[in-house]
C-alpha cells in the first residue's frame, strides 16, 4: 500500500508541477489558444498565475513532507486541497462544455482521494 501511495503521489505531483509551470511561465493569451485553455479568456493574469502557484505548492506538498518526514500530515491535507481545486476545475470545464477535461480532472480527483484516504487510514 505504501508503494502505491508513493507512486500515486509522484504521478499527481508531476501533473501539478507541469500545470503550475505552464500557468506561471506561458502567457495567458497563449494558454487561451491551446485546447482546453478557453477558461483563461475571462480570467485575470493574476488569477491564472495564482492557480499556477497553488499547483506548484501542491506538487511540493504531495511529496516533500513525507519524503523529509517533516509534518507528514501535510500530504493528505494537500491532497484534500487538490480535491477542492479539481472540483473547481470540473465545474469550470463543465460550463464550457469540455467534458473530456472534466473526466481528466475527475481522475486527478480520484488519485488525490486515494492519497488522502491512504495517508489518513495509516
Amino acid at each position: 500500500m505504501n508503494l502505491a501511495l508513493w507512486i500515486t503521489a509522484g504521478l499527481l505531483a508531476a501533473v501539478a508541477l507541469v500545470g503550475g509551470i505552464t500557468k506561471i511561465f506561458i502567457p495567458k493569451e497563449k494558454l487561451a489558444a491551446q485546447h482546453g485553455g478557453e477558461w483563461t479568456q475571462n480570467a485575470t493574469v493574476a488569477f491564472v498565475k495564482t492557480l499556477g502557484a497553488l499547483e506548484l505548492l501542491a506538487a511540493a506538498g504531495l511529496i516533500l513532507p513525507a519524503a523529509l518526514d517533516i509534518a507528514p500530515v501535510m500530504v493528505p491535507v494537500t491532497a484534500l486541497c487538490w480535491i477542492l481545486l479539481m472540483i473547481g476545475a470540473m465545474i469550470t470545464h463543465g460550463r464550457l462544455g469540455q467534458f473530456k477535461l472534466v473526466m481528466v480532472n475527475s481522475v486527478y480527483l480520484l488519485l488525490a482521494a486515494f492519497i488522502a484516504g491512504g495517508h489518513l487510514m495509516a
Side-chain angles (χ1 to χ4, degrees):
M1 178 71 160
N2 194 31
L3 180 62
L5 287 171
W6 274 107
I7 291 170
T8 306
L11 289 172
L12 200 55
V15 167
L17 183 65
V18 170
I21 289 171
T22 301
K23 288 176 185 71
I24 289 176
F25 294 109
I26 294 180
K28 186 184 102 148
E29 296 75 26
K30 194 169 182 180
L31 281 176
Q34 295 177 352
H35 173 69
E38 293 87 6
W39 67 271
T40 61
Q41 291 174 346
N42 294 326
T44 65
V45 172
F47 180 74
V48 174
K49 295 208 181 295
T50 299
L51 284 178
L54 289 173
E55 290 181 2
L56 290 178
L57 288 172
L62 287 167
I63 300 295
L64 293 180
L68 300 175
D69 199 26
I70 299 173
V73 71
M74 290 308 295
V75 174
V77 170
T78 301
L80 291 171
C81 291
W82 183 264
I83 289 171
L84 294 175
L85 189 65
M86 289 302 102
I87 290 171
M90 291 166 66
I91 291 168
T92 300
H93 290 300
R95 286 181 181 164
L96 294 171
Q98 300 169 329
F99 299 110
K100 287 182 182 179
L101 292 175
V102 171
M103 293 306 298
V104 169
N105 292 134
S106 66
V107 170
Y108 296 155
L109 185 147
L110 290 173
L111 292 174
F114 173 72
I115 294 167
H119 280 277
L120 291 173
M121 300 286 187

